[in-house]
Amino acid sequence: LLYYKAGVNDMPQLLPDGFYPLFLVLYIIKELIFPWRKRAPLWKSIWNVVTSPVVLPTFFLTYVADVFTSMVKVFQDISWTLCFVISGDFLVPENSEYTQPRQWQHTVWYKNVVIPLICLFPLWIRLVQCLRKYADTRQRLPHLANAFKYALSQTVTLFGAFHPLYLLSQQNHTTYNGGVNLFQMFWVGAFVTS
């Protein structure tokens, strides 16, 4: 909202428009780190979740990993913000006639590498946690069933991420029932079952 208000000249022009989101990012980073005595348990928990195969997944760590699977869009927004700041796009005024369009978010590395990895990473953590719980307890249910669920969810994510690439590479793909091909039917089936 602050960036928008600065862009439409609804605020005093004390700073260039892009510095407002930069200050917001720097403030959030400061709040996530300081005071360290209060933030250290947060970062220790995140580290334990990320290193799930090595650390015994307790209920709390499993819960945090489940929260991570729900925060995929937030993680995508964080990666977009970091790329926006690192690329220097925050320095380009919005209302300039000579503004170059932002191209980094349309590149292959961002759309087909960074975003799918962000989507897959929380699912991978939960998969590894379920496999670790099975290895520790030898109880097939619910641990292997949950592991299968997260493995299938990763498959759906990969199919969804690479589906446009597949269609571009297929000049004359076989279609069934009015333009739906076998790849699309498998993806929809995997999506529904996950």
Side-chain angles (χ1 to χ4, degrees):
L1 182 63
L2 182 64
Y3 181 67
Y4 171 75
K5 285 187 165 274
V8 295
N9 297 325
D10 199 20
M11 292 181 55
Q13 293 294 321
L14 301 174
L15 298 169
D17 299 341
F19 278 92
Y20 293 111
L22 176 66
F23 288 141
L24 181 62
V25 167
L26 294 175
Y27 176 75
I28 289 172
I29 290 172
K30 177 202 133 333
E31 289 296 315
L32 285 173
I33 297 173
F34 300 108
W36 181 249
R37 188 172 36 87
K38 290 184 178 180
R39 303 297 187 253
L42 167 76
W43 289 106
K44 184 179 180 204
S45 298
I46 291 172
W47 177 253
N48 287 340
V49 167
V50 171
T51 58
S52 287
V54 180
V55 179
L56 178 67
T58 61
F59 174 76
F60 177 71
L61 296 181
T62 304
Y63 177 74
V64 172
D66 275 337
V67 170
F68 281 2
T69 61
S70 300
M71 290 181 58
V72 168
K73 284 294 189 189
V74 174
F75 294 147
Q76 289 176 356
D77 290 344
I78 290 170
S79 72
W80 192 94
T81 303
L82 290 176
C83 290
F84 178 77
V85 169
I86 291 170
S87 71
D89 279 348
F90 70 95
L91 297 172
V92 179
E94 282 289 323
N95 51 7
S96 172
E97 296 175 9
Y98 306 105
T99 304
Q100 291 289 334
R102 295 179 182 90
Q103 296 298 321
W104 56 265
Q105 71 266 30
H106 302 295
T107 58
V108 174
W109 69 268
Y110 184 76
K111 285 174 37 178
N112 297 330
V113 176
V114 173
I115 295 299
L117 284 177
I118 290 171
C119 293
L120 288 174
F121 190 63
L123 298 172
W124 175 257
I125 290 172
R126 283 296 292 134
L127 172 72
V128 173
Q129 281 182 342
C130 292
L131 293 176
R132 170 70 192 260
K133 284 185 176 184
Y134 170 71
D136 290 344
T137 64
R138 293 290 177 204
Q139 293 178 346
R140 290 184 181 155
L141 287 176
H143 304 306
L144 284 184
N146 282 335
F148 177 72
K149 175 179 72 172
Y150 289 110
L152 192 59
S153 296
Q154 288 178 349
T155 305
V156 169
T157 302
L158 286 173
F159 273 109
F162 296 119
H163 178 69
L165 296 176
Y166 170 77
L167 288 181
L168 288 176
S169 69
Q170 298 294 320
Q171 297 298 333
N172 51 359
H173 54 278
T174 308
T175 60
Y176 304 97
N177 298 333
V180 178
N181 63 21
L182 190 59
F183 179 83
Q184 291 170 329
M185 291 190 312
F186 180 76
W187 183 81
V188 169
F191 179 76
V192 169
T193 57
S194 73

